[in-house]
Amino acid sequence: GYNYEIIVIDDGSPDGTLEVAEQLQKIYGEDKILLRPRATKLGLGTAYIHGVKHATGNFIIIMDADLSHHPKFIPEFIEKQKEGNYDLVSGTRYQGNGGVYGWDLRRKLISRGANFLTQVLLRPGASDLTGSFRLYKKKVLESLVERCVSKGYVFQMEMIVRARQLNYTIGEV
């Protein structure tokens, strides 16, 4: 098995994330499930910063708590990272076995459109820039978060583009 901790950053989400995390904490223990709620929605970038402050490991996997990213794929991320000693491994919805579940057509079109435009304009060398299922070396994540200036979901795109600018290596699963 893996030595791990799960840090849940919830900022008042109405989907019951915190309540589910509290139940998981009762099952797995407070040493494995760390709850770090915030009173209000402060943005994705600040959630990353908040989580990194509490992380004790050398690697950080970031994913949405609504299970739009299935945890069963985490071992693939770990294997890919080991395979190439990548600084960052990004889950892609647009190659191989990737996909999205539970999204309506509008959300799929926005995601595809944003990725297409970014590919054409910025040539980032990664197929999915708006996805948030990623594994980072902790030091790399800290470095990227310090440099990012965007807010909201554009933050994900900026993280990949900046990683390329800084010559970090990126693997995809």
Side-chain angles (χ1 to χ4, degrees), residues 103-166:
W103 282 16
D104 61 20
L105 181 61
R106 181 179 172 272
R107 189 168 175 193
K108 287 179 185 177
L109 288 172
I110 290 170
S111 175
R112 278 283 194 184
N115 274 287
F116 175 76
L117 281 174
T118 307
Q119 293 296 335
V120 170
L121 298 174
L122 300 175
R123 306 222 182 271
S127 67
D128 190 349
L129 292 114
T130 58
S132 58
F133 195 4
R134 297 183 182 160
L135 177 152
Y136 292 89
K137 288 181 177 175
K138 184 178 182 181
K139 294 286 183 202
V140 169
L141 179 58
E142 290 170 333
S143 169
L144 290 170
V145 167
E146 280 177 15
R147 290 173 168 83
C148 284
V149 295
S150 54
K151 304 286 184 234
Y153 291 100
V154 175
F155 180 80
Q156 297 292 12
M157 299 169 88
E158 184 181 356
M159 292 282 281
I160 291 285
V161 171
R162 287 204 185 271
R164 275 288 179 230
Q165 288 172 340
L166 296 167

Side-chain angles (χ1 to χ4, degrees), residues 81-98:
Q81 192 286 324
K82 286 180 182 176
E83 174 187 299
N85 191 28
Y86 292 106
D87 295 310
L88 157 80
V89 177
S90 184
T92 179
R93 296 164 287 185
Y94 304 121
Q95 292 183 347
N97 294 325

